[in-house]
Structure formats: structure tokens, C-alpha cells
Amino acid sequence: MQDPALSWTDDLPVCHLSGVGLSTNQIYREDGNRREAHAFEDRNFHFRHDSCFLYGVFDGHNGTRVADFAAQRIPAELLLGQLQPNFSDAEVQEALKQAFIGVEKSYFESMDGLLAERTTLQDRLPEGIDHYEAMQKYPDIIKKLEELDREISGGTTATVVLIYNNKLYVANVGDTRAFMCKTGPDNVLRVRQLSYDHTINDFGEQTRLKQAGLDVDKIQVLRRVANSDCTRCIGDYHVKGGYKDNDVLSCARVEPVIADPFVDGGVELDSSSAFLVLMSDGLYQALTDATGTETINGDIATMVAHEFSQQTTLTGVAQAVVDRVIRIHHDTFMTGSDAKKTLCKKRDDITLLVRNFNYPLSVQSPGSVRSVNSPSQPPQHQAAGFPSSIYNHHSPYPSSISSSASDASRHQRSSDSESPKTPTNYLMSGPNLLGVSNTNTNSTDTPTNGSSTYSTNSSGEMQLFSQRQSNNSNLELDADGKVKAYVDFSEWDIALSKMSEEQRENLLKELMPKSVYDPIQEEPLAEH
């Protein structure tokens, strides 16, 4: 179960209505070179199994052991008959919660041998001996203990989104995020964060840690809880069963870092559902550090929406957004102030998963779409409240994402007036996929934590599907990401069946593609 190359999930059908973009962590240098601080520790999945879809992003720390384990076991906790067709929203939420708790329990059970070996080695050291003296007298034991500590110290954040019975459910621990974009009655794209950031900066988590007996002020000064700044995760023995050995956490009355997830759903999916985004904190933290934005979800949603009009695949959409963010981050390090250089001298692993519902995806190649705007043309629409560094004068973004007022509670869900329908992915022909009206809106920036919507300042509203040409056609993709057949080949098949074997061979030879280049003739090597 520890080797991702041998994962049973390799046999699960991939959801072709989604795409993933990735980038490894980097430490920058003034000469333009860069290096990795550690191996890539993010993991993800996007599966379609029978009538459900399952998506997950995991941000591992101190190794990939836990992220690999969780990415393999969570699908097993949800896709092997645990979900029943008549489940209520509360029952689906409980299934998600038990999946997280079950994975954590199974992981620590898999470590029983390592923990037993660690205890045996510790018992071989004289009681009360300090670390320096132990290093001098028992170097082999100390070296082995350090190896074991590295193996058991790893953990991972996790954000999982389940689509079941045409409803969307989310569960998460840590700061890996999920948000959804929906089109409002006024054709304006609205962003709603579905997950909850479990970090030391969150007031709710500070209250929980304080009730557990911890000095929250000290933790905020350190800006970390042992190995991470997250207050919830899967794995990481040193902040779970071994927290008494940590000087900062030893005063806690119970385990301070937990694996109980935030769970919410189900959100009805209908024609207003545009797209879903899951991302590790490496993406939104890099853009926040580089630009100082206070509307990070809206900024990333704007970038994703723009790339839908530029790319022909969902993987292309996700990777293009990742590439743009890391370029902004690196450019800020190279050209920014000393304070910005310090803030942007390195970045973490990045994962961005995009799941499309009803948002128009370009059928043009990226080059042909971008050629609509010549390099000499400046952008005509730029969103207020969004960093100018996000925009490229070769291909301006649509105007900013607008959203409805914040919910009173993170558990409150928005209602949809339209009837639900099966999520589909539409390909729109023609380069003008997004129309932008330059009407002014004034709304308040209210970023929130949890499953509530928030608003962003806007100098215009994004109008969706409003400028389709009369000859445009909708090509609906099936669950495998393929266009349904629209050409009748029956006459061809009949004619082919009437041919002799020799006639068919000759026809196939004629139809074979032929090179437009003359074949290259290699000259024999001269003998010496």
C-alpha cells in the first residue's frame, strides 16, 4: 500500500471532465537558477466510479508516506459499497467523516512495527542521558532512532470532493482548499469556498487549542505546530500519539492536532454550476506572497476562467494557471523590493485540479485563440481589485469575478432556482467564448473561512454564453470525455464489405498518410 506505482486505484476510471496542473517546490537564486528543497510531496486523484465522482488533493509534509497512503485508502473507504442510493445528506457527510478517521487509524496501525522498534531502542539508552552524551556513547542507536523519527513524523493535509446523486459534498483537514464557481441569474460568475482552513491563524482553531490547554500566543509566535502550520492533518505521529515529547505541545490535555474533517454538502448541481477548483496551499500562497491580494480565490477563479477560452483541454487549463502563478512569483523575486524578495525566495509544491461542469472550453488551439489580440493591443478590460501582474497584454483576462453576499454561517448553503441536471462538459466553437460588459459594481471584500461565498471589487461583470455566434454548435461530451458520434458511416461500411481483400488492401494503402518530405538517405561511414 505504500508504493503508489502498485496502487489499486490505478484501475479506477479517470474522470475526463477534470484536469490537473503541477509544479515542484523551488528555492530561487539571484542568478536565475533554482533548486528543489525536497522531492514533490503533493498527491491527487480524480476518479469516476459508477454513478459517483471523487476528487482529492493532498499536501504532504516531511515525506510522501502519509500522502501516498491517504490517496490510496480514501477511495477504498468511499467507493466499495459504503454509499447507498437512499443516503441523506447527513449520512453522506458521516461517510466522508468516517473515511478520514478510518484512514488515520489504518495508517497508525501500519506503523505499529516502527513504533515498537523505536520503543525498544529508547529502552536500551540509560535513563536520564542527554542527547549529546548519547550521541557520543551510543551513535548507532541514535542514528537508527533519527531514521525512525523521520519515518513516523510525516503527515498530510487532505481535501476530498464527492459528487453523488447529482450533489456535491466536501471534507477537508488542513489548508488545502476547494471552491466552486457558479453563474448567477445576472450571468456573473460567483465564487464560493467549500473547504475550511485549519491553521493557527483561524480563530476557531485557536479556541480549540486553548481549550486543550495550549499556549496559543506562543504557537502564533512560532507560526507552526511542530512540523506544520496546520492544526489538523492525517498522520504525523509527533503531534498525535507522541505529542508529550514536544516541548510546546506537552502541556495539552488531549491530542492537539486531530484528523476530524470539516464536512459540508450536498450542494445541488444544475445549469448554473460552472467549475470546481481544488488546490494545495502552494498555489494560493505563492500568488498571495507575490501580489499581496486579499481576494485570492477570486483571482485564481479569474485566471481559470480566462484559460478556459485559451486552452483546448482541462489539463491545459490547470497547468496554464499553475505556470502563470509561478512565473508571477519568480518575477516578483527577481524584480521586487527587498521585502518581496525575502517573501518570495521560495515556494512550496503546487497542485491545481479543475473539474468542469458547464463552462465553455475553447476548441481552438492556444496559439490561434491568442492571435485574436495582437501584441500591440493593450487589454481593454482589467478588473479592479486584482493585481495588474496577473494580466498579460497579449491576452487580457475577462473582467473580475463577482459574487453574492457572504453567508451568515459557513454551514449555510446557497439555493438554486433551476432544476438539477447531470454535469456535462460543453465545447464551444469560435474564439469569442466570453463576452464582457463594462458595467460597474461595488461590493465589499469579505473573505471568509468555510463554505460561504465572498465578494470582490469589480469594474465589470463576466457575461457567460452571451455572445455565441448563430452558427456555433454545442458538442456534448460523454462521461469518458468523448464527443458523441454525429456522422453516419453505414454507406462506407456497406461499400467496404463488397470489396475483395485485394481491393481493400489497395484502398488502405492509398489512404495511408504520406510524408511531404523526401526520405533521408544516410551515407555510409568512410573507412579509415
Side-chain angles (χ1 to χ4, degrees):
M1 288 298 296
Q2 301 305 317
D3 185 356
L6 302 176
S7 172
W8 75 278
T9 57
D10 292 342
D11 295 329
L12 288 175
V14 172
C15 172
H16 294 288
L17 301 176
S18 58
V20 180
L22 307 168
S23 181
T24 307
N25 64 90
Q26 296 287 330
I27 299 176
Y28 302 138
R29 291 162 46 107
E30 287 285 352
D31 59 8
N33 292 312
R34 58 190 77 178
R35 65 181 178 86
E36 298 176 9
H38 51 77
F40 188 72
E41 295 175 337
D42 282 8
R43 296 293 184 265
N44 72 85
F45 57 67
H46 44 127
F47 297 132
R48 173 181 60 85
H49 182 69
D50 295 334
S51 61
C52 36
F53 298 83
L54 189 66
Y55 310 94
V57 170
F58 306 83
D59 181 3
H61 57 265
N62 286 16
T64 63
R65 180 186 178 100
V66 186
D68 285 333
F69 189 94
Q72 294 170 28
R73 289 296 293 265
I74 282 183
E77 297 286 339
L78 294 169
L79 300 180
L80 298 181
Q82 294 89 341
L83 301 172
Q84 300 300 316
N86 60 346
F87 267 12
S88 65
D89 289 346
E91 288 173 317
V92 176
Q93 291 179 23
E94 183 62 22
L96 282 167
K97 180 179 179 180
Q98 292 304 319
F100 275 64
I101 295 173
V103 167
E104 163 120 322
K105 180 180 178 182
S106 298
Y107 175 71
F108 283 129
E109 287 175 352
S110 74
M111 292 174 51
D112 283 346
L114 295 176
L115 295 175
E117 183 180 0
R118 181 173 178 264
T119 301
T120 301
L121 291 172
Q122 289 175 330
D123 290 342
R124 291 172 57 185
L125 296 174
E127 187 175 352
I129 190 172
D130 61 40
H131 183 74
Y132 178 79
E133 186 179 357
M135 280 289 295
Q136 301 298 316
K137 295 182 177 180
Y138 307 96
D140 294 338
I141 294 178
I142 296 301
K143 182 179 179 181
K144 184 61 179 178
L145 282 172
E146 290 175 347
E147 292 176 359
L148 290 172
D149 282 342
R150 282 193 295 270
E151 286 196 65
I152 65 179
S153 65
T156 186
T157 67
T159 294
V160 174
V161 172
L162 170 70
I163 297 177
Y164 189 62
N165 290 335
N166 208 44
K167 289 184 178 181
L168 185 148
Y169 304 85
V170 63
N172 85 285
V173 291
D175 57 2
T176 309
R177 281 188 187 176
F179 67 77
M180 187 173 181
C181 288
K182 303 190 78 172
T183 311
D186 50 1
N187 282 341
V188 177
L189 201 64
R190 287 174 167 80
V191 180
R192 174 186 176 187
Q193 183 166 325
L194 303 171
S195 58
Y196 193 100
D197 293 343
H198 298 119
T199 68
I200 56 177
N201 296 319
D202 177 70
F203 178 77
E205 289 298 279
Q206 291 176 11
T207 302
R208 184 180 64 80
L209 294 177
K210 189 176 297 184
Q211 291 174 346
L214 293 181
D215 184 346
V216 173
D217 293 334
K218 185 175 183 180
I219 290 176
Q220 285 186 298
V221 170
L222 296 173
R223 302 178 63 182
R224 298 180 72 81
V225 182
N227 298 317
S228 171
D229 63 348
C230 292
T231 56
R232 302 193 189 199
C233 71
I234 296 175
D236 203 340
Y237 174 79
H238 289 302
V239 295
K240 302 285 180 69
Y243 75 93
K244 289 294 185 181
D245 296 330
N246 185 289
D247 293 339
V248 178
L249 306 180
S250 59
C251 58
R253 292 185 289 272
V254 294
E255 290 185 5
V257 179
I258 58 178
D260 292 8
F262 166 80
V263 184
D264 199 12
V267 178
E268 291 277 0
L269 297 176
D270 57 19
S271 59
S272 69
S273 304
F275 56 83
L276 168 75
V277 167
L278 281 75
M279 57 183 174
S280 60
D281 73 313
L283 181 72
Y284 66 80
Q285 196 60 57
L287 190 58
T288 300
D289 289 346
T291 65
T293 177
E294 295 181 356
T295 56
I296 185 62
N297 289 355
D299 291 5
I300 292 175
T302 302
M303 298 172 78
V304 171
H306 171 71
E307 292 302 336
F308 265 86
S309 69
Q310 303 292 301
Q311 307 297 326
T312 58
T313 67
L314 291 169
T315 294
V317 170
Q319 192 61 53
V321 173
V322 170
D323 292 345
R324 183 167 292 271
V325 170
I326 63 178
R327 189 178 72 186
I328 292 170
H329 189 261
H330 183 255
D331 288 353
T332 302
F333 170 78
M334 296 297 293
T335 62
S337 63
D338 289 343
K340 281 292 185 183
K341 284 180 180 291
T342 301
L343 192 61
C344 297
K345 64 183 178 182
K346 63 180 180 180
R347 59 173 176 79
D348 201 0
D349 296 328
I350 290 176
T351 297
L352 172 64
L353 191 156
V354 177
R355 202 301 193 173
N356 193 21
F357 296 111
N358 298 297
Y359 207 73
L361 183 66
S362 174
V363 295
Q364 303 285 341
S365 65
S368 65
V369 174
R370 288 195 175 94
S371 65
V372 173
N373 299 302
S374 66
S376 61
Q377 289 179 311
Q380 297 178 354
H381 304 281
Q382 179 169 315
F386 288 82
S388 60
S389 58
I390 294 179
Y391 298 84
N392 185 313
H393 70 278
H394 290 264
S395 54
Y397 283 98
S399 63
S400 76
I401 308 291
S402 179
S403 56
S404 59
S406 299
D407 293 342
S409 166
R410 71 172 183 265
H411 295 287
Q412 181 178 350
R413 294 183 287 273
S414 60
S415 61
D416 302 308
S417 58
E418 300 186 47
S419 59
K421 73 174 203 175
T422 302
T424 54
N425 181 13
Y426 289 105
L427 294 176
M428 296 299 301
S429 59
N432 286 329
L433 303 177
L434 298 175
V436 178
S437 71
N438 202 21
T439 58
N440 291 326
T441 63
N442 294 310
S443 54
T444 306
D445 288 336
T446 315
T448 63
N449 199 358
S451 60
S452 58
T453 57
Y454 70 95
S455 303
T456 62
N457 288 330
S458 174
S459 62
E461 297 179 346
M462 183 181 297
Q463 302 291 335
L464 306 181
F465 321 122
S466 59
Q467 293 189 2
R468 296 176 181 172
Q469 302 297 327
S470 59
N471 60 345
N472 283 350
S473 60
N474 292 351
L475 302 180
E476 185 172 332
L477 305 184
D478 61 20
D480 294 318
K482 298 179 181 179
V483 178
K484 295 179 179 179
Y486 54 89
V487 178
D488 185 3
F489 288 96
S490 57
E491 293 184 8
W492 164 268
D493 295 334
I494 294 172
L496 200 63
S497 66
K498 294 180 179 180
M499 292 183 180
S500 65
E501 188 69 27
E502 183 179 356
Q503 288 176 322
R504 281 197 294 269
E505 288 182 4
N506 291 334
L507 176 62
L508 292 176
K509 288 180 182 179
E510 288 295 323
L511 295 177
M512 289 291 290
K514 298 176 178 60
S515 175
V516 296
Y517 300 102
D518 294 329
I520 298 175
Q521 301 292 334
E522 289 193 36
E523 297 183 1
L525 294 174
E527 296 183 1
H528 295 285

